[in-house]
Amino acid sequence: MTRSLWWPFFLHLSLSILIQGCSTVNTTKRSSVRDFGVAVDVGQKATSSLDISRTSSAGPVITENNDVINVEQKQQDVVALILGPGGNRTAGHVGFIKALEEHKLKVHIVTGTGLGAVVAALYASGKRSDRIEWFFYKLFNKTKNFTPYSQNWLEVTQIMLREEFGSKRIEELPTATIIPLYDLKERRIHYFSRGPVVELLSENLKLSNNRESRFISSLQWEIHSIKFLKSYGADKLLGVSVLGREVLFQKWDDYLLGVFGKAIAMSRTSAELLDWSIELPTDTLPIDSVKEIPLFIQKSYDMAYKKVELYIKEGAKKSQGPE
């Protein structure tokens, strides 16, 4: 008699646990901000975390007492370069950097979001455009069978970042570098100028559907970091966009379509507040495509070369003042 009374209870309890487990699995792809944990997991130590107590602290070229850039006692404008996100379209930044090299345009601060931050860090580390281009050829080849920003894609990208940067810290890079990350616990953006390069870049490549991290990319909230860069000491903000005006994918993904669609709208709005911006010719290249990358980089370079040349000429005229 006792067994017959308890049996329905245990059956109900088992079914409840099973349903709860299935429910958890099905909702991991899209969850609310308050569902995210605090731990930062970048595939290394489980206790790894980023120090947010000094997220606006000194980089390699700041003044001793203030968190602002001091370039030769402000005898020249402090130029901040902002490289936007765009999946595989980010390869277009390589063409832009090549144009910077050929024109010998000095950049004092670099920042970016998504893969744009990876390009920024490589450039800040002293890598030339051909070396950065080779990095992306290898990355695209190794990740071509994975959905961008998926777990498999992230793991391969992290391995390549470790091979490139090792244990280097962001404050050790020759050019001041800022990596903005969105804090899911505090629900605001932190601007990191200190910390392990690989860990910062890895977190920067995670989107809001990642349930394992406290910090993720800021690209769903902000693209250009205008207010912060001005407070950091930048006089001129140069923005480079590879998002284009249309989101294209070889393999359709509703989540990424929403992410990049919103990013395009934000980027175009905030670009109007920059001192100078360029939109590279990217509309025909799907965000997840690895085809025709060399041609795409060349087209980006051709446009960037003319735009940078014009920017330098306009700057020279302003410095001369009225006749």
Side-chain angles (χ1 to χ4, degrees):
M1 181 69 177
T2 304
R3 290 181 180 177
S4 62
L5 289 174
W6 280 98
W7 168 247
F9 171 78
F10 283 119
L11 178 62
H12 176 73
L13 180 61
S14 299
L15 288 173
S16 298
I17 293 172
L18 179 61
I19 292 171
Q20 179 70 22
C22 294
S23 175
T24 302
V25 171
N26 290 335
T27 58
T28 53
K29 290 186 177 180
R30 302 189 185 190
S31 56
S32 64
V33 168
R34 57 181 177 274
D35 288 333
F36 287 82
V38 175
V40 177
D41 179 11
V42 292
Q44 296 175 325
K45 297 180 181 179
T47 56
S48 177
S49 63
L50 297 173
D51 180 10
I52 63 174
S53 64
R54 305 180 67 184
T55 50
S56 294
S57 293
V61 291
I62 67 167
T63 59
E64 183 176 353
N65 298 317
N66 301 296
D67 289 341
V68 293
I69 292 292
N70 176 21
V71 179
E72 299 177 2
Q73 287 73 49
K74 300 289 282 187
Q75 293 299 311
Q76 58 178 296
D77 284 339
V78 176
V79 178
L81 176 63
I82 309 162
L83 302 178
N88 291 5
R89 290 178 176 178
T90 310
H93 288 316
V94 175
F96 179 83
I97 288 174
K98 184 178 180 181
L100 287 185
E101 292 170 347
E102 295 191 3
H103 284 294
K104 296 180 171 57
L105 180 61
K106 176 66 176 177
V107 171
H108 306 100
I109 311 170
V110 291
T111 185
T113 49
L115 282 176
V118 175
V119 180
L122 289 167
Y123 177 63
S125 69
K127 300 289 190 301
R128 292 189 59 82
S129 57
D130 56 350
R131 182 67 183 80
I132 299 173
E133 184 175 355
W134 180 241
F135 173 88
F136 277 94
Y137 280 145
K138 291 194 295 181
L139 175 64
F140 294 158
N141 183 58
K142 291 182 178 182
T143 59
K144 62 185 178 183
N145 295 321
F146 303 132
T147 301
Y149 302 96
S150 66
Q151 189 59 40
N152 288 333
W153 183 92
L154 286 170
E155 289 174 0
V156 173
T157 305
Q158 285 175 347
I159 290 172
M160 287 197 60
L161 290 173
R162 291 192 193 102
E163 291 174 351
E164 197 69 37
F165 292 101
S167 59
K168 191 177 292 292
R169 295 179 62 83
I170 197 171
E171 63 267 29
E172 297 170 353
L173 302 182
T175 301
T177 308
I178 306 296
I179 304 297
L181 295 177
Y182 187 77
D183 185 337
L184 288 164
K185 180 183 179 183
E186 298 184 4
R187 301 192 185 189
R188 68 187 183 96
I189 297 173
H190 292 285
Y191 302 91
F192 288 86
S193 60
R194 289 182 177 273
V197 175
V198 173
E199 187 172 354
L200 288 166
L201 292 178
S202 297
E203 299 303 273
N204 155 80
L205 293 173
K206 296 176 181 178
L207 302 178
S208 61
N209 62 345
N210 192 304
R211 292 176 60 91
E212 298 178 355
S213 294
R214 170 177 172 174
F215 297 100
I216 61 173
S217 175
S218 65
L219 74 84
Q220 292 171 267
W221 290 269
E222 181 181 83
I223 301 295
H224 291 119
S225 308
I226 294 173
K227 185 176 180 180
F228 173 79
L229 289 171
K230 288 290 187 181
S231 70
Y232 196 69
D235 298 306
K236 299 290 185 182
L237 303 183
L238 312 185
V240 185
S241 175
V242 292
L243 283 168
R245 298 170 181 245
E246 183 180 2
V247 181
L248 295 176
F249 284 95
Q250 288 188 137
K251 298 178 182 178
W252 192 264
D253 188 294
D254 288 336
Y255 175 73
L256 291 179
L257 183 68
V259 168
F260 283 101
K262 180 181 178 181
I264 288 174
M266 285 193 302
S267 179
R268 295 183 66 80
T269 299
S270 58
E272 297 176 358
L273 303 176
L274 300 174
D275 298 289
W276 181 84
S277 64
I278 177 174
E279 192 172 292
L280 297 177
T282 61
D283 282 336
T284 60
L285 182 73
I287 287 175
D288 57 344
S289 174
V290 297
K291 297 179 180 179
E292 299 184 348
I293 291 293
L295 178 61
F296 170 58
I297 292 175
Q298 183 61 45
K299 287 183 177 180
S300 296
Y301 163 75
D302 292 341
M303 174 183 282
Y305 187 91
K306 296 176 182 178
K307 293 284 188 178
V308 172
E309 186 175 49
L310 182 61
Y311 169 80
I312 293 173
K313 288 180 179 179
E314 290 177 348
K317 289 180 180 179
K318 289 180 181 179
S319 65
Q320 292 173 359
E323 296 182 358

